[in-house]
């Protein structure tokens, strides 16, 4: 499986509207994902307004998992996302996650608000995935993909004589 992580700075949250029309809304933090997209965007803007002179309001992360040898469902993908976000330490940020699950490929789109609920700012100088982030992603995927519950290829089949 080939993994890539792309992180981009964004100046507004209108991308949420586009992604909501094209991808499956899967998860969020510090946001009610049942709200209409324009209301979700407004909630992101409200938090960002606590830092008035900020030009780049958010971070858009695209995680690509290509050539996956098993078909993962939404629940499995969300477990990977949650483990990854906790692993990189961004679980306390407001974010929204969209999934694009295809046969053999999974694309995860996450929009993070750079402002924490406490008013702190995530520095965009840290953008660009480093080896630690790739290791967190690899471990997050391994915990799901290498688990027989999620992977029919790893499920052991016993004959009647073996128990």
């Amino acid at each position: 499986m080939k993994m890539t992580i792309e992180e981009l700075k964004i100046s507004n949250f209108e991308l949420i509207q586009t992604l909501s029309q094209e991808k499956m809304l899967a998860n969020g933090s510090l946001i009610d994902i049942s709200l209409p997209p324009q209301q979700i965007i407004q909630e992101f803007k409200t938090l960002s307004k606590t830092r008035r002179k900020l030009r780049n309001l958010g971070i858009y992360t695209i995680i690509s998992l290509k050539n996956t040898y098993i078909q993962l469902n939404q629940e499995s993908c969300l477990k990977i996302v949650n483990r990854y976000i906790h692993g990189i330490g961004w679980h306390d940020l407001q974010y929204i996650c969209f999934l694009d699950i295809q046969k053999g490929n999974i694309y995860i789109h996450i929009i993070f608000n750079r402002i924490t609920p406490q008013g702190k700012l995530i520095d965009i100088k840290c953008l660009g995935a480093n080896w630690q982030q790739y290791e967190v992603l690899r471990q997050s995927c391994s915990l799901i993909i290498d688990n027989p519950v999620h992977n029919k290829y790893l499920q052991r089949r016993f004959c009647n004589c073996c128990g």
Side-chain angles (χ1 to χ4, degrees):
M1 173 173 57
K2 180 180 178 186
M3 296 183 277
T4 59
I5 305 168
E6 187 176 1
E7 296 176 331
L8 308 164
K9 58 186 176 183
I10 55 174
S11 59
N12 62 55
F13 298 109
E14 298 305 317
L15 182 58
I16 293 172
Q17 179 69 39
T18 304
L19 290 172
S20 69
Q21 294 170 357
E22 300 171 357
K23 314 292 180 211
M24 176 186 355
L25 176 57
N27 196 10
S29 178
L30 305 174
I31 192 78
D32 179 359
I33 63 170
S34 68
L35 294 172
Q38 284 304 322
Q39 250 184 296
I40 291 173
I41 292 168
Q42 190 55 48
E43 293 287 324
F44 271 76
K45 286 179 180 177
T46 299
L47 182 56
S48 290
K49 286 179 184 174
T50 60
R51 300 293 285 266
R52 295 193 188 278
K53 295 183 181 182
L54 196 61
R55 284 190 310 216
N56 296 302
L57 303 178
I59 299 169
Y60 176 36
T61 301
I62 307 162
I63 298 173
S64 301
L65 306 174
K66 296 183 178 180
N67 303 320
T68 56
Y69 58 93
I70 66 168
Q71 185 67 30
L72 295 174
N73 60 20
Q74 180 179 345
E75 179 185 348
S76 298
C77 291
L78 283 177
K79 287 179 182 178
I80 291 170
V81 169
N82 288 334
R83 287 184 180 278
Y84 174 75
I85 290 173
H86 276 81
I88 64 170
W90 284 7
H91 56 279
D92 60 341
L93 296 178
Q94 182 183 49
Y95 69 86
I96 191 164
C97 174
F98 296 88
L99 298 175
D100 182 5
I101 302 172
Q102 303 172 6
K103 186 174 179 159
N105 299 312
I106 297 166
Y107 301 95
I108 301 164
H109 302 263
I110 310 168
I111 298 179
F112 292 97
N113 199 327
R114 286 184 56 207
I115 308 299
T116 70
Q118 296 78 27
K120 294 183 180 177
L121 179 66
I122 300 298
D123 194 345
I124 56 173
K125 290 180 195 171
C126 70
L127 290 187
N130 56 32
W131 70 268
Q132 292 102 331
Q133 284 174 261
Y134 276 96
E135 182 59 19
V136 168
L137 180 58
R138 187 196 63 74
Q139 289 177 6
S140 300
C141 289
S142 292
L143 287 169
I144 302 305
I145 292 173
D146 294 341
N147 184 337
V149 170
H150 305 289
N151 187 343
K152 68 180 180 183
Y153 298 109
L154 294 178
Q155 293 174 350
R156 297 183 74 183
R157 306 234 188 264
F158 296 102
C159 62
N160 290 334
C161 65
C162 298

